[in-house]
Amino acid sequence: MNHPIQIPSVQKSIHVAVRPERAFRVFTEQMGRWWPLVTHHIGGAAAENCVVEPFVGGRWFERGVDGSECEWGRVLAWEPPARLVLAWEISADWKHDASVRTEVEVRFIADGTGTRVELEHRLLERLGTRAPDMRAAFESPGGWSGMLASFAAFADAG
């Protein structure tokens, strides 16, 4: 009997100097201002914004400078200001594919006068034979560590 390969999740955390309510809002409402859209987009047009619709079932997508939209996934859990779960529907070819659904969970935990933001990208085995390469990309400096650093710098500056 074949058993699917289990790929460990990617887990990252960072501290921001704002309360969980603000951290959650910056992460979700202002993603297009801190996400490095010049290098991290998948649509055909240059991206000018990325949007997380604020409800379960909402879309997570990028909007191009030409007005086009390219899906990244869906909102699976919307629990402000504590927790957000997004379906990552991006294949190992960096294309939207709703049949490939990994999950990105972000938790916002009060920590002193700030917030500890914990991110877990899980179910990576759903990326198939290229899952180990994708995990390495998510673990790289240009992956989730870099994303959280960009988020923290923007949140702390505001």
Side-chain angles (χ1 to χ4, degrees):
M1 178 179 224
N2 289 336
H3 296 285
I5 296 171
Q6 295 296 308
I7 304 293
S9 64
V10 172
Q11 297 183 35
K12 302 291 179 184
S13 66
I14 199 161
H15 187 272
V16 294
V18 297
R19 301 294 303 147
E21 295 79 9
R22 170 121 176 94
F24 187 94
R25 282 195 314 272
V26 168
F27 195 94
T28 59
E29 295 173 14
Q30 299 179 28
M31 188 177 283
R33 298 189 62 197
W34 59 263
W35 189 279
L37 288 168
V38 170
T39 56
H40 289 67
H41 72 95
I42 62 170
E48 72 174 0
N49 198 10
C50 58
V51 177
V52 178
E53 294 178 333
F55 52 88
V56 171
R59 298 178 308 144
W60 181 27
F61 65 97
E62 71 183 63
R63 183 171 292 121
V65 295
D66 63 357
S68 62
E69 294 180 352
C70 180
E71 300 277 335
W72 291 1
R74 295 274 171 190
V75 176
L76 301 178
W78 183 265
E79 301 169 13
R83 179 174 173 261
L84 170 71
V85 181
L86 299 168
W88 174 278
E89 297 175 349
I90 299 174
S91 72
D93 293 320
W94 300 103
K95 307 277 185 214
H96 178 255
D97 182 347
S99 72
V100 176
R101 182 178 268 199
T102 62
E103 293 179 0
V104 178
E105 179 171 356
V106 188
R107 292 187 176 273
F108 302 85
I109 302 156
D111 185 15
T113 59
T115 303
R116 186 174 73 251
V117 180
E118 297 178 347
L119 181 144
E120 178 184 16
H121 194 160
R122 60 183 175 241
L123 304 174
L124 301 178
E125 59 276 1
R126 294 180 178 178
L127 292 163
T129 59
R130 294 178 53 201
D133 295 332
M134 292 298 286
R135 185 181 190 284
F138 298 140
E139 282 280 7
S140 75
W144 287 118
S145 293
M147 295 298 170
L148 286 179
S150 178
F151 158 72
F154 184 80
D156 287 347

